[in-house]
Amino acid sequence: MDVEKARALARYRDISLEATAFRLRAVRMALGVTQKDMAEALDLPTSTYADYERARVYPSHAAVSHFRWRHDITFDFILYGDPRHLPLEAAERIYNAMLELDAQPDRPARG
């Protein structure tokens, strides 16, 4: 995986709700769980977790911490799109999920 390509796809340094939601959804997909499963793991209503992925609100500190401590997904990746400190296997799964999401026709254009 090319780090520069991964950064571009992850919208490196873009801290917008949309970019954060995109990365969060890619992480969840890479983990192979549903929104409902993730919400349960975070002890949140499914609608609240879905709001994170729909770019309605930023994920809570507790949610981002869950990804860091349970799945080794860094704050830097979720919040800033920096894949450099992700474990290699996780980075590859997330990259593939981002490619899949980016290819969806209903996804808003980056930029």
Side-chain angles (χ1 to χ4, degrees), residues 18-105:
E18 293 78 12
T20 302
F22 174 75
R23 292 186 292 262
L24 198 62
R25 185 170 183 202
V27 167
R28 179 187 53 79
M29 290 172 59
L31 294 172
V33 298
T34 65
Q35 284 185 347
K36 181 181 180 198
D37 294 336
M38 189 54 67
E40 288 175 4
L42 294 166
D43 197 25
L44 294 171
T46 303
S47 61
T48 300
Y49 184 79
D51 283 346
Y52 295 162
E53 290 191 13
R54 288 186 190 127
R56 292 188 177 150
V57 295
Y58 283 101
S60 68
H61 181 267
V64 177
S65 292
H66 169 88
F67 286 104
R68 174 64 184 103
W69 301 115
R70 296 279 173 104
H71 304 289
D72 208 18
I73 307 300
T74 64
F75 290 97
D76 286 344
F77 179 74
I78 293 173
L79 300 176
Y80 304 107
D82 187 350
R84 290 179 298 173
H85 301 291
L86 292 172
L88 183 59
E89 183 180 321
E92 289 174 355
R93 288 193 323 260
I94 293 167
Y95 181 73
N96 289 332
M98 289 189 302
L99 287 172
E100 182 180 331
L101 287 170
D102 198 52
Q104 292 178 358

